[in-house]
Amino acid sequence: MKTLAITLVTIFISLTSSLGQTSKDSLFVFIGEKIEVKYTPEKSLSDTVIMGKDTVITVGISVDNRYRAKYKILQVINGSFRQDTITFFAYDHYGEPAFSKFKTVLLFVSPHKGELYHEKYQYFDLYLTADNKWASPYSRRYTNDYYKDKVTIRPEKIFFKEEVSSPTSHLSEDQRKTLFPKPYFDIKNGNAIAIYGNYVDDLVKLKKQTN
């Protein structure tokens, strides 16, 4: 018997094209506080299909890591949601979604077949400012040459309520300059301290312009 094995690998490169944004109004944008982000593997999608008398086609579908996230909704930015907590799925090729590392984030989710899905890799970590508004540090989206002619939003000086910083001692000099450029960050004592950033309204615009 001849056996023909065919493996179909499906990697969700962008939820914006495959699992979301059927219309502008379907996009739900909110400021959320993390409750739980848990790895939730999907059921096996492998199957064996017999075609003809002597041909067996084995179909295996491989997807990114799937996580179920639960967040408290602090503020709705776009769309509507009746509950004060939200649960959605997030797919990530590299493991636990990066947004889960932060307590408060600006998140983008879209509905698909009765479920909510995070728009892959789309988020901004948020921190309170001195005047009790939410803002995020200078975004790496500004450094992407592909979007430089499309971006009209500019970073501005932000006075965060508490210092927002990232360790840099493990980085080379070139890496520090690339990831934490001046004057947007101040490098002190092995940390990059955020000086510039954007408030939520501009972050939404920045996301749209670099999508």
Side-chain angles (χ1 to χ4, degrees), residues 9 38 52 55 70 72 99 104 111 146 160 183 186 195 201 204:
V9 180
K38 185 177 181 180
T55 302
K70 185 177 182 180
K72 179 181 179 181
F99 66 78
T104 309
Y146 180 79
F160 291 101
D186 185 17
I195 304 298
D201 287 347
V204 174

Side-chain angles (χ1 to χ4, degrees), residues 13-39:
I13 295 176
S14 173
L15 288 180
T16 58
S17 60
S18 62
L19 291 176
Q21 286 196 6
T22 53
S23 70
K24 277 187 177 181
D25 293 336
S26 70
L27 182 64
F28 181 57
V29 185
F30 67 98
I31 299 173
E33 182 178 292
K34 179 182 174 181
I35 297 175
E36 180 183 59
V37 177
K38 185 177 181 180
Y39 176 57

Side-chain angles (χ1 to χ4, degrees), residues 124-162:
F124 294 95
D125 49 310
L126 296 178
Y127 308 89
L128 280 174
T129 64
D131 53 355
N132 286 316
K133 295 180 180 179
W134 291 105
S136 187
Y138 175 83
S139 174
R140 295 178 191 173
R141 293 169 187 254
Y142 285 117
T143 64
N144 192 325
D145 288 339
Y146 180 79
Y147 299 113
K148 65 181 181 180
D149 295 328
K150 301 179 181 180
V151 175
T152 60
I153 305 303
R154 301 308 307 160
E156 57 184 292
K157 187 167 285 190
I158 302 287
F159 296 96
F160 291 101
K161 181 172 287 188
E162 297 181 2

Side-chain angles (χ1 to χ4, degrees), residues 57-84:
I57 298 179
T58 301
V59 180
I61 301 179
S62 174
V63 297
D64 291 340
N65 300 301
R66 187 180 76 161
Y67 290 79
R68 182 186 292 273
K70 185 177 182 180
Y71 274 72
K72 179 181 179 181
I73 298 175
L74 301 182
Q75 183 179 339
V76 174
I77 305 302
N78 185 73
S80 61
F81 203 78
R82 295 182 179 179
Q83 300 175 343
D84 59 1

